[in-house]
Amino acid sequence: MEGLTFLQDAQKTVLAAAQPLGIEKVGLLDALGRVLAEDIIAPRDNPPWDNSAMDGFAVRWEDIKQEHAITKPVELKIIEEVQAGKVATKTVGPGQAIRIMTGAAVPKGVDTVVKVEETEATGDTVRIFKAVERGANIRPQGEDVKKGDCIIAKETQIRPAEAGMLAILGKSFVFVHQRPRVAILSTGDELADLDERFDEDKIINSNSYGIAAAVQEAGGIPILLGIARDQPASLMEKIKQGLTADILVLSGGVSMGDYDFTKAVFKDLGAEMHFWKLAIRPGQPLAFGKILGKLAFGLPGNPVSSMVTFEQLVRPAMLKMGGHRGYGRPVVRAVFQEKFSKRPDRRHFLRGILSRENDVLAVRTTGDQGSGILTSMVKANCLIDVPEEVERLNPGDTVNVQVLSEQLWDR
Ligand code: AMP
Ligand code: MG
């Protein structure tokens, strides 16, 4: 269709324009969710020495290897006790054992640990009831991490597991990609800001908050520029403020109405525009370009449209800028449970509820799909992706579903 850009092409254009941001050094706990910009090399082995995996007795395997351990247990002399954090002073010789706690370094002379449950101690004598294998219950030095190995590669996102590993490696600070700063501007004379006193004929600016939350969820820093009125001068002033950020996101004012000035103002600012209209629903009017090197998105004003288009275009750009390797939500195949029809032109994103029915992923819509019905997003845990050419879906058809929420099954 003339003037309409396919989403797939639009996404390529946006991703080509977005580049990973610079790096910064952050404290370990501030690194959660961020993407490493350095390889993490182990400065020492972990565990740093052979240590006991159990509470029990550190022994020489030669002494306990016999058969019939249950009826004829070996008796060893307990010569010392070693707790975690302590090092035994004595060396275990023939016929001797050291009482050892989990995590304590394995004493000299020892090659095996017998669990306390398989022993019986009386005074300074211990009886061993099981001939365990040589090396049993010993965690060898370096079994987890070897000095000099790259343990966490550059471009890895930090999760709790990586945070724990960074601590093992003594890294209290790491280099990560910067978080994209996203300036958010709502436009419209009909808007009043949250907590502002307003007349009955106004509506509350909800887009700024929905978008700001989406920015935070994607690991970015939202900068709320407030509301621009439907006048070129107001729009111009606010947009200029937003150009200190990495990304500028406008909502509203991108349609062809008499008061939709975004297009004119973008042009006045010398924007290099890539597209104005997308072949998707919701969200057909959608402007994207670069203004003074910054990515600028003009999202449609309808609350659902702004959120859905944010998902498809702004979020991937943000993830790329934040250094991530993948830019999309997880996509799963699910069995559609309703009838749906559309013209074979635009790609539709239906707000959906994904659930597990008899071990199969099933999906239904949230009901009315109007672009002003934000409850459709509130109820949704996914977006059902219906390709451009598809005309109808029937119950039992398989569809692609973008998973928005980890809470899949409880809605
Ligand atoms: P527009 O794209 O400017 O024509 O806006 C389309 C519709 O979206 C308007 O009629 C408003 O009802 C709604 N809208 C626009 N901006 C916002 C906003 N910031 N918050 C909530 N609704 C909005
Ligand atoms: Mg408007």
Side-chain angles (χ1 to χ4, degrees):
M1 280 166 296
E2 223 196 321
L4 284 185
T5 304
F6 288 113
L7 178 59
Q8 220 179 312
D9 298 328
Q11 282 168 330
K12 276 191 200 135
T13 305
V14 167
L15 286 175
Q19 292 308 323
L21 297 171
I23 63 178
E24 63 182 341
K25 192 176 176 183
V26 299
L28 171 49
L29 283 183
D30 292 325
L32 188 65
R34 309 284 293 272
V35 178
L36 269 183
E38 58 174 333
D39 284 335
I40 304 293
I41 310 295
R44 64 169 186 169
D45 286 341
N46 185 60
W49 7 258
D50 292 353
N51 70 98
S52 178
M54 292 287 170
D55 292 334
F57 287 87
V59 300
R60 299 162 68 247
W61 182 74
E62 279 299 320
D63 289 349
I64 63 141
K65 67 183 179 187
Q66 60 139 344
E67 287 171 30
H68 313 301
I70 294 193
T71 46
K72 283 198 293 167
V74 172
E75 280 194 8
L76 302 172
K77 185 158 191 280
I78 306 170
I79 57 166
E80 197 179 349
E81 175 176 313
V82 58
Q83 297 164 247
K86 298 266 165 26
V87 178
T89 54
K90 294 180 180 147
T91 300
V92 172
Q96 297 181 333
I98 285 181
R99 189 192 293 271
I100 193 164
M101 308 301 155
T102 305
V106 170
K108 288 199 193 81
V110 160
D111 59 1
T112 301
V113 169
V114 185
K115 286 201 266 195
V116 70
E117 293 89 330
E118 284 150 3
T119 67
E120 193 180 89
T122 352
D124 63 358
T125 303
V126 61
R127 301 202 294 161
I128 309 288
F129 292 101
K130 192 169 177 193
V132 295
E133 281 171 30
R134 189 199 290 269
N137 302 315
I138 290 179
R139 298 187 287 217
Q141 172 175 349
E143 78 165 354
D144 185 15
V145 164
K146 293 230 172 357
K147 180 179 175 178
D149 281 359
C150 174
I151 304 302
I152 312 175
K154 214 172 172 163
E155 314 303 316
T156 302
Q157 185 176 12
I158 307 293
R159 304 167 304 161
E162 282 76 20
M165 180 52 76
L166 288 168
I168 283 180
L169 303 175
K171 295 286 267 182
S172 44
F173 289 89
V174 283
F175 285 101
V176 293
H177 285 278
Q178 288 166 8
R179 305 164 65 189
R181 297 170 358 111
V182 183
I184 299 161
L185 176 60
S186 284
T187 72
D189 285 345
E190 76 279 26
L191 301 177
D193 221 330
L194 199 56
D195 298 331
E196 184 184 308
R197 285 186 58 186
F198 59 91
D199 302 331
E200 283 301 312
D201 57 351
K202 299 267 176 169
I203 62 162
I204 293 181
N205 164 24
S206 60
N207 285 357
S208 287
Y209 298 93
I211 293 170
V215 165
Q216 276 181 324
E217 197 206 30
I221 301 169
I223 300 163
L224 289 158
L225 298 178
I227 300 169
R229 296 306 166 193
D230 288 324
Q231 297 143 15
S234 169
L235 209 49
M236 178 76 88
E237 185 200 321
K238 291 281 190 182
I239 290 177
K240 279 186 181 159
Q241 289 171 14
L243 292 176
T244 55
D246 302 304
I247 300 179
L248 172 69
V249 175
L250 269 74
S251 80
V254 280
S255 324
M256 294 297 122
D258 290 344
Y259 295 94
D260 294 331
F261 295 114
T262 301
K263 196 169 182 172
V265 172
F266 272 18
K267 279 204 168 133
D268 284 352
L269 283 165
E272 176 198 332
M273 293 310 296
H274 293 287
F275 51 84
W276 288 104
K277 273 181 170 189
L278 280 190
I280 71 168
R281 184 183 179 135
Q284 172 166 315
L286 197 146
F288 171 70
K290 270 189 153 180
I291 306 176
L292 300 173
K294 303 299 172 73
L295 273 61
F297 294 86
L299 306 185
N302 280 308
V304 178
S305 312
S306 67
M307 293 205 106
V308 170
T309 50
F310 181 95
E311 272 295 323
Q312 306 309 319
L313 292 166
V314 186
R315 190 171 191 278
M318 284 181 61
L319 293 183
K320 184 167 179 194
M321 291 171 111
H324 294 262
R325 277 182 292 200
Y327 317 132
R329 296 278 192 179
V331 173
V332 297
R333 306 273 287 158
V335 180
F336 194 60
Q337 301 194 298
E338 294 169 25
K339 272 182 181 293
F340 173 75
S341 65
K342 69 175 186 63
R343 294 226 303 265
D345 49 13
R346 290 191 267 168
R347 184 163 163 188
H348 283 222
F349 289 96
L350 308 175
R351 275 71 71 208
I353 300 170
L354 184 65
S355 61
R356 193 181 282 278
E357 312 276 335
N358 301 324
D359 267 353
V360 173
L361 289 179
V363 69
R364 62 186 196 277
T365 67
T366 54
D368 206 337
Q369 296 288 306
S371 58
I373 299 177
L374 196 56
T375 46
S376 71
M377 283 299 283
V378 173
K379 289 177 189 157
N381 60 12
C382 68
L383 293 174
I384 305 166
D385 182 355
V386 191
E388 289 84 355
E389 68 282 1
V390 169
E391 274 185 88
R392 61 179 52 81
L393 291 174
N394 287 309
D397 286 351
T398 302
V399 288
N400 277 341
V401 169
Q402 298 178 351
V403 181
L404 299 180
S405 163
E406 290 165 14
Q407 293 160 302
L408 280 187
W409 324 119
D410 58 357
R411 294 214 156 187

